[in-house]
Amino acid sequence: MTAGGPAVDTVRIAVGPVCLLPWDTFTGRAPVLPVTALVERRTRGGQWAAEDDVPVVTTPSGAIVLPSLASARPVPAPSAVQRLRIRLVSPYLLDAEHPAGVEFDAPAYAAPAVTRTRLYPLPAYPFPPGTRLLHGRVRRGGSPVAGAAVVGRARADAEHLPRVAAWTEVAATAGDGVFRLPLRRVGSRPQQPPPDPAAPDAEWFTVTALAEPGRAGGPELSVQLTAQDIRGTEQLIEIP
């Protein structure tokens, strides 16, 4: 307090062993839709249990930090360190790249690198009216695939020409394998003009489903679709 002036409260946040920066891939900024950060501790039996006493702080920029897990000095005994993880949960968005959450040791005294967590729209995402959406589902071996990443882009091969700069759109599947993929930009056009000069050029897209988006080289399948296919019935993508 300064004499004659108002009292001022100063709060200092000491960054703990993890710092997440959630990113809504549809809007391209920190999510405004509800996202809950769940902190869990690994027990001696190897299971994960809720760690309810750990406060989670979201900064004005949207970063998520756990200040109570910071330490002013190195932890002397390895037995004092716990293995924890943090998961981001939302009915509208999914961190498909970190399906099991982000693991870390606590306490820790070194400031962590920021981990950007790209959140993919789930089928319940409130897309703006008029957004072009591909409705579909992903299966593998006849069973629905939950948490798969679905990526859309303009078709790129020797027989198709892009109309605009390269772009990608992403979505994630829900527990029943269902997805809604936004396709806001235009697709490619065929190199060869249509046989009927009065017919418009087809608009082509490539849609890829990745069963395990957090692991390089995981099973995936790509299909080629036109704008007419998108307006049609639900698309089924069967990953081998």
Side-chain angles (χ1 to χ4, degrees), residues 17-240:
V18 65
C19 179
L20 303 184
L21 184 61
W23 201 254
D24 183 334
T25 55
F26 183 77
T27 63
R29 58 178 181 266
V32 297
L33 295 169
V35 176
T36 301
L38 301 180
V39 181
E40 298 169 314
R41 172 179 50 83
R42 188 161 65 188
T43 66
R44 292 183 178 180
Q47 304 300 315
W48 291 100
E51 191 65 56
D52 299 326
D53 296 333
V54 175
V56 178
V57 175
T58 302
T59 69
S61 64
I64 296 175
V65 296
L66 311 176
S68 70
L69 299 177
S71 177
R73 59 182 58 86
V75 179
S79 60
V81 177
Q82 298 185 78
R83 189 66 173 171
L84 293 97
R85 72 178 180 183
I86 183 169
R87 296 187 295 119
L88 302 182
V89 179
S90 170
Y92 310 106
L93 294 157
L94 180 71
D95 183 5
E97 295 175 334
H98 305 91
V102 177
E103 295 188 24
F104 56 95
D105 291 326
Y109 64 96
V114 174
T115 300
R116 173 169 290 192
T117 56
R118 301 191 332 133
L119 304 181
Y120 298 1
L122 286 165
Y125 192 97
F127 293 103
T131 303
R132 178 167 58 178
L133 297 170
L134 172 65
H135 297 253
R137 66 179 62 237
V138 177
R139 297 191 312 189
R140 189 180 184 199
S143 300
V145 180
V150 184
V151 182
R153 56 176 58 89
R155 183 171 179 176
D157 53 41
E159 298 178 356
H160 294 82
L161 295 174
R163 304 170 194 254
V164 296
W167 56 268
T168 59
E169 298 267 21
V170 295
T173 60
D176 56 1
V178 171
F179 68 86
R180 292 199 304 162
L181 174 67
L183 293 171
R184 291 171 285 181
R185 299 169 182 83
V186 296
S188 300
R189 64 178 177 85
Q191 282 268 23
Q192 300 298 324
D196 182 1
D201 286 337
E203 189 181 356
W204 281 92
F205 302 89
T206 298
V207 176
T208 303
L210 299 88
E212 300 173 6
R215 182 173 68 87
E220 64 179 61
L221 180 74
S222 294
V223 296
Q224 312 298 337
L225 300 172
T226 66
Q228 185 63 37
D229 296 324
I230 295 170
R231 292 190 293 268
T233 58
E234 177 183 270
Q235 296 292 320
L236 174 63
I237 304 178
E238 188 82 37
I239 297 177

